[in-house]
Amino acid sequence: MQTRKILFLLMLIIAVAAFLRFYDLTYQSIWGDEACSVYDAQGVDLHFITASLVDATHRKFVNPRPAPRAVLTACLKNEGTPPAFFAVLALWIRAFGAGDFACRALSAVMGVMAVPVIYLLGRRLFRRADAALLAALFMAVSPAAIFFSQEVRAYGMANLLALASSWLFLRALDGGRRVGPWLSYAATALVLCYTFYFAALVLAAHVAYLFAADRRGLRPWLCAMASVGLCYLPWLAFGFRTQIAVQLAVSSGYSRPGPVLSRESLSATAGALRYILDSLILGPMYSRVLITDTLRRIIEFGTLALVLSGGYVLWRRERKPALLFTLLFSLTPLIVISVFSIAKGTLWFMKPRYHLWEASGIFILAAASITSIRHIPLRFLLAGAVCAASLLAGPYHFYPMVFYSDHAKSDFRSAAALIAAEERRGDLIFVNIPGHMIPFNIYYKGGLRQVGISDCGRYVLREKLEQYTKNRQAVWFLVGLDTLGHGDAEIAEYLGQRFPLKHTHELHGLRLAHYERTGLPPG
């Protein structure tokens, strides 16, 4: 294939990827994890939100002078993720602002950049432009890749770096012991380690490949990893332990299916693996209206058939190193995380966001399978079917007429706008879960007092309600429908007895009630 034609097709695929990632980027409001990213980049310490009673105003969520040290401190206290993405986001916000579009655009740009990188990786593996272009096209239309490219989180950056480090690794191997390629690989690997812990498991896939297929690269790889390790020591000493302890504490309460290696535990893990596969192929939040259960099974079995066929083709054509590398790239992180989850008795880490980069192996093997077919019309038919299925399963906002509300992000943007339009001095905002204040204050800039009450006894809850509603003319009550809090019914009952209910707004994932009275209550 001619170089100009290859470049034209690659640019066309990149344009498609950009359109799909930037399309309606602000359709939904920022949710809790995304809001944490924005606050981390602004150096806001959110540790106060873990208290059983949170009494704050919007000023508590503002850091007027976000220095680099504040960003690092916020990352340590708020996150279970290394600081590289938040440092980049801090610079991005300084340049483009902290609006929804501006913040999400960073992840979208990185998602677009992943498309030419998977082309380079596929070209290095196959030595063929057509298979590499098809892998890039599958990445461009991938529902999972699109979805995580539209979130203000580190997943898109981690996916880009996992692909880039793998391409640079193979490039360095081809260059023998030349220092330059190995330095480039080491630098990318270091940034990857400082971006996302689980994505860094692709480095284990690299060394496994060296042991299995190409031991001549072991010495330079060890030298590269030694330099990475030295540069990573400060984080291991001061940040890693803190974040891992927090992650394990959070994950311990997330679904303990039974003792390690029990039937219940293994069954739950198998179910989680099916969910990961489902999400990597169709995206984590596809429309259940367009993709029925029957169609989902057909798409998944068809994809698996293409992957197995691609592996067989590479095996028969003496491309065993390419097959081995692709399998290790996808399976090593999956196996390590699965074993870790079973050992810890939790399914917290069996979520699509911790496995996004593993989908690249699916794209590469499917592309190898299709481009091995000699009948050209059949190639186009299969490639078109994969793209059509991917677009049909695109993130739910692609098809608002069949919007699946159970998978909507909570609409804190509308909640803040409704309160801002009608608030009066002295009003109070009750939030049923303190953590909901995090995304709410991305949009709410007013000065009303906000109160979030976590677990407490019925008597204490009533006492606090009396304390905060005394002499109030109006109270707003924000309830997260997907994460109900302690005492929601009691709070609503108490407010309903003392305030005539003015109106209730049913929003995606939220209910906002406005209670108001015309006169003060009797003493």
Side-chain angles (χ1 to χ4, degrees):
M1 193 179 293
Q2 295 178 352
T3 304
R4 284 188 178 182
K5 186 177 180 181
I6 294 171
L7 184 59
F8 171 76
L9 291 174
L10 182 59
M11 294 302 294
L12 185 61
I13 293 170
I14 292 172
V16 170
F19 171 77
L20 293 175
R21 282 152 181 77
F22 281 93
Y23 172 77
D24 226 352
L25 196 57
T26 60
Y27 179 75
Q28 294 189 93
S29 67
I30 283 176
W31 71 294
D33 284 8
E34 291 182 284
C36 283
S37 296
V38 177
Y39 290 128
D40 294 337
Q42 295 174 333
V44 178
D45 182 359
L46 298 174
H47 193 65
F48 69 92
I49 214 75
T50 60
S52 58
L53 172 66
V54 179
D55 184 347
T57 63
H58 174 69
R59 295 179 64 182
K60 191 76 172 177
F61 295 85
V62 177
N63 182 0
R65 296 179 179 177
R69 184 174 180 178
V71 174
L72 182 60
T73 301
C75 177
L76 279 172
K77 292 188 175 182
N78 304 340
E79 287 289 342
T81 305
F85 173 75
F86 309 109
V88 174
L89 181 60
L91 297 174
W92 185 272
I93 288 175
R94 184 172 296 183
F96 301 105
D100 288 14
F101 185 89
C103 290
R104 283 179 173 160
L106 174 60
S107 294
V109 167
M110 291 181 175
V112 173
M113 291 171 63
V115 172
V117 175
I118 197 175
Y119 166 80
L120 293 173
L121 178 59
R123 187 71 182 265
R124 183 67 61 171
L125 287 169
F126 299 131
R127 313 292 179 179
R128 291 179 55 181
D130 56 350
L133 284 171
L134 193 55
L137 177 61
F138 291 162
M139 171 70 81
V141 299
S142 164
I146 294 169
F147 180 85
F148 288 113
S149 294
Q150 295 185 328
E151 285 212 334
V152 194
R153 294 297 288 171
Y155 315 125
M157 182 173 172
N159 187 42
L160 171 63
L161 290 168
L163 290 167
S165 64
S166 297
W167 169 62
L168 290 169
F169 168 73
L170 294 175
R171 179 170 166 263
L173 271 183
D174 289 343
R177 296 191 177 183
R178 289 169 51 208
V179 176
W182 285 106
L183 284 177
S184 300
Y185 168 65
T188 308
L190 178 63
V191 180
L192 174 61
C193 291
Y194 270 106
T195 299
F196 207 80
Y197 295 122
F198 288 140
L201 289 172
V202 300
L203 303 180
H206 297 168
V207 70
Y209 174 78
L210 290 176
F211 274 107
D214 196 348
R215 297 198 176 188
R216 62 189 172 87
L218 269 176
R219 181 175 294 181
W221 184 87
L222 289 173
C223 292
M225 288 303 102
S227 62
V228 170
L230 285 174
C231 296
Y232 201 60
L233 276 177
W235 183 253
L236 284 176
F238 299 105
F240 180 79
R241 288 185 178 181
T242 302
Q243 290 193 330
I244 290 299
V246 172
Q247 282 278 33
L248 291 177
V250 172
S251 65
S252 64
Y254 188 83
S255 181
R256 284 186 173 274
V260 176
L261 298 181
S262 66
R263 178 179 296 179
E264 295 82 0
S265 176
L266 295 177
S267 175
T269 303
L273 289 171
R274 287 194 296 271
Y275 171 56
I276 291 171
L277 177 64
D278 182 27
S279 300
L280 293 183
I281 295 175
L282 294 171
M285 295 184 181
Y286 58 87
S287 169
R288 269 62 172 179
V289 177
L290 293 177
I291 304 292
T292 62
D293 285 342
T294 301
L295 182 56
R296 175 180 61 82
R297 292 190 185 96
I298 293 173
I299 293 173
E300 289 178 351
F301 281 121
T303 303
L304 288 175
L306 283 175
V307 168
L308 293 174
S309 174
Y312 178 74
V313 167
L314 292 175
W315 183 271
R316 286 293 301 272
R317 292 189 174 183
E318 299 300 324
R319 299 295 300 169
K320 295 176 184 177
L323 171 61
L324 178 63
F325 182 86
T326 305
L327 291 176
L328 287 172
F329 178 86
S330 290
L331 294 179
T332 301
L334 180 62
I335 292 171
V336 172
I337 295 172
S338 299
V339 172
F340 180 77
S341 298
I342 292 173
K344 293 298 180 181
T346 178
L347 298 178
W348 179 263
F349 305 108
M350 303 296 285
K351 296 180 179 181
R353 60 175 178 249
Y354 299 125
H355 300 269
L356 174 61
W357 29 93
E358 296 159 18
S360 299
I362 297 175
F363 305 147
I364 290 171
L365 290 176
S369 174
I370 292 174
T371 53
S372 69
I373 298 173
R374 295 182 179 180
H375 194 55
I376 301 300
L378 184 56
R379 283 192 193 184
F380 279 99
L381 180 63
L382 288 174
V386 172
C387 292
S390 296
L391 292 175
L392 195 64
Y396 37 76
H397 67 272
F398 281 19
Y399 311 103
M401 72 292 295
V402 288
F403 192 87
Y404 190 68
S405 60
D406 286 356
H407 290 273
K409 294 177 182 176
S410 298
D411 191 5
F412 291 98
R413 182 196 297 142
S414 295
L418 288 167
I419 294 176
E422 299 185 39
E423 70 178 357
R424 293 176 301 183
R425 186 175 181 181
D427 287 0
L428 180 76
I429 303 173
F430 268 121
V431 182
N432 75 323
I433 291 179
H436 286 152
M437 292 181 179
I438 296 174
F440 175 71
N441 278 276
I442 288 287
Y443 301 103
Y444 180 71
K445 311 297 182 184
L448 294 186
R449 196 173 183 180
Q450 303 169 41
V451 176
I453 301 177
S454 188
D455 275 350
C456 59
R458 187 181 181 91
Y459 175 79
V460 176
L461 177 62
R462 186 178 184 86
E463 180 183 304
K464 293 298 180 184
L465 289 171
E466 291 176 352
Q467 172 188 337
Y468 281 107
T469 58
K470 186 177 181 180
N471 297 331
R472 299 279 181 186
Q473 287 292 108
V475 173
W476 299 85
F477 184 35
L478 183 63
V479 179
L481 301 180
D482 54 343
T483 48
L484 298 178
H486 175 81
D488 291 350
E490 288 85 350
I491 295 174
E493 180 185 0
Y494 179 90
L495 295 176
Q497 291 172 354
R498 286 157 178 77
F499 298 82
L501 178 61
K502 182 180 180 182
H503 46 231
T504 301
H505 301 277
E506 298 292 342
L507 308 171
H508 282 307
L510 297 172
R511 178 184 296 119
L512 178 63
H514 185 194
Y515 298 86
E516 187 175 22
R517 56 189 170 195
T518 55
L520 294 176

